Amino acid sequence: MQKIIVAFFLTFLFFSSCAAFSQEFGLVLSGGGGKGAYEVGVWKALTEYGLAQKVTVISGTSVGGLNAGLFAVAPMSQIENIWLNLVPEYLNMDYELISEDGLLWIMNQVCFSRIQRKNSYPKVWVTATRARFTGLKLITKWFFGIDYSHRFLLNEEDSEDEIRRKLLATSAFPILTKSVRLSDGYKYIDGGASDNCPIIPIIENYNPAQIFVVYLEYSPNHRRSREYPDYSIVDFIPSEGMGWIGGMLDFSYSEIKRKMALGYSDTVQILKNSGLKPVSSYWFE
């Protein structure tokens, strides 16, 4: 009888572990300009630990929206090359704080058609804000919590050019860049003006086993894990400050490299504390 109980217990553990390794995950990427390099470090760690490959839906705002599109279609080596080499050179092109032409040039180096493939994964959502009464929207959102978000599922787009325009729209920083007119005829600006940490598209449309939320603030005022206690949410929060406006507008090589390294080390620490190991060595240790 004891052997039967032990055998049953081991079988249960085996299938439980299989279920854990077959889980699907969601990823939420916050906005924050140049601080988005931190998200690249997080994604690199998730990739090395075999978790990025199981992310079936990504929702992003502003630079998080740009990264969402990039993570969905590009290998890690290309993502790192874009951030370390192209972003410092082209994003401040012509002495602009954020060059729309430079950003568009960078995006043209990426093939987003993979997102359009039938039944393609991950699903990619970006958030933007209609460019009307922006000041009033910011005030009423702050005091009354009104959500002015417009959310777009890029996988539904017929045109790769429209995907790029929606990526431009979600990252159209107010004042510094122009609003972007989309195919619906409306002009849009940065999604951070309405929802800078867009978990809603995931919880309203999908049911992932776990949701990873990446913040770009050392001490975020609102944590999605606390706001949505019924969901399994893991918060990735920078272990040190990355600056506010200065950090958002700093696209220098040295700062990008530092923030990427910070995102990577913070994430590895969390994964190690959870008992996980890199997929390259997991079966041999």
Side-chain angles (χ1 to χ4, degrees):
M1 183 64 179
Q2 186 176 7
K3 290 183 179 180
I4 295 176
I5 294 175
V6 172
F8 175 82
F9 180 71
L10 292 175
T11 303
F12 174 79
L13 287 179
F14 175 78
F15 281 106
S16 296
S17 63
C18 289
F21 283 112
S22 65
Q23 287 176 345
E24 296 179 354
F25 300 96
L27 178 65
V28 180
L29 300 173
S30 303
K35 294 186 287 186
Y38 181 89
E39 295 171 337
V40 177
V42 173
W43 186 247
K44 181 176 183 178
L46 292 177
T47 300
E48 291 183 359
Y49 278 72
L51 298 177
Q53 297 86 329
K54 298 174 184 179
V55 170
T56 56
V57 54
I58 308 177
S59 175
T61 284
S62 192
V63 70
L66 293 172
N67 278 334
L70 191 58
F71 294 173
V73 301
M76 197 65 232
S77 58
Q78 184 182 11
I79 295 170
E80 289 182 300
N81 178 62
I82 287 173
W83 267 95
L84 287 171
N85 299 313
L86 301 188
V87 168
E89 181 176 355
Y90 289 94
L91 216 57
N92 296 136
M93 193 169 65
D94 299 326
Y95 303 101
E96 297 180 75
L97 289 175
I98 299 178
S99 171
E100 183 177 333
D101 289 339
L103 179 56
L104 187 57
W105 187 92
I106 293 171
M107 286 197 293
N108 283 334
Q109 311 311 304
V110 181
C111 179
F112 291 103
S113 60
R114 176 183 165 189
I115 296 178
Q116 298 172 279
R117 295 176 186 172
K118 186 178 181 181
N119 298 324
S120 63
Y121 286 92
K123 302 301 182 186
V124 181
W125 290 81
V126 296
T127 296
T129 308
R130 280 190 183 164
R132 298 178 63 189
F133 312 113
T134 304
L136 180 62
K137 287 177 179 177
L138 289 173
I139 293 171
T140 53
K141 173 181 170 54
W142 178 266
F143 285 102
F144 305 107
I146 300 174
D147 187 1
Y148 294 103
S149 302
H150 289 266
R151 311 181 193 281
F152 303 100
L153 177 59
L154 298 187
N155 306 76
E156 293 182 341
E157 297 299 333
D158 295 326
S159 165
E160 189 175 357
D161 180 64
E162 183 66 9
I163 289 177
R164 290 192 174 92
R165 294 199 66 76
K166 282 184 166 63
L167 291 173
L168 277 178
T170 188
S171 57
F173 199 87
I175 301 175
L176 297 182
T177 57
K178 297 179 294 184
S179 59
V180 179
R181 189 180 299 277
L182 299 180
S183 57
D184 61 6
Y186 291 98
K187 289 184 177 181
Y188 291 85
I189 59 170
D190 199 302
S194 50
D195 185 1
N196 201 46
C197 190
I199 195 173
I200 291 177
I202 294 180
I203 63 176
E204 287 189 349
N205 298 283
Y206 309 94
N207 187 31
Q210 200 160 63
I211 303 173
F212 302 134
V213 180
V214 186
Y215 304 85
L216 298 180
E217 302 169 68
Y218 175 66
S219 181
N221 293 325
H222 304 284
R223 295 191 186 186
R224 295 301 186 243
S225 57
R226 297 173 181 173
E227 295 173 332
Y228 299 94
D230 295 334
Y231 294 86
S232 179
I233 298 173
V234 178
D235 294 325
F236 292 93
I237 301 172
S239 59
E240 59 185 64
M242 296 190 292
W244 190 47
I245 294 296
M248 294 174 65
L249 299 179
D250 192 340
F251 296 97
S252 65
Y253 175 87
S254 59
E255 269 301 291
I256 287 173
K257 189 172 183 179
R258 182 182 76 86
K259 290 164 186 170
M260 285 174 56
L262 181 64
Y264 178 82
S265 61
D266 284 351
T267 305
V268 166
Q269 189 61 51
I270 290 174
L271 298 179
K272 281 185 175 180
N273 290 343
S274 301
L276 297 176
K277 298 180 181 180
V279 292
S280 61
S281 61
Y282 179 82
W283 299 108
F284 306 101
E285 294 184 6

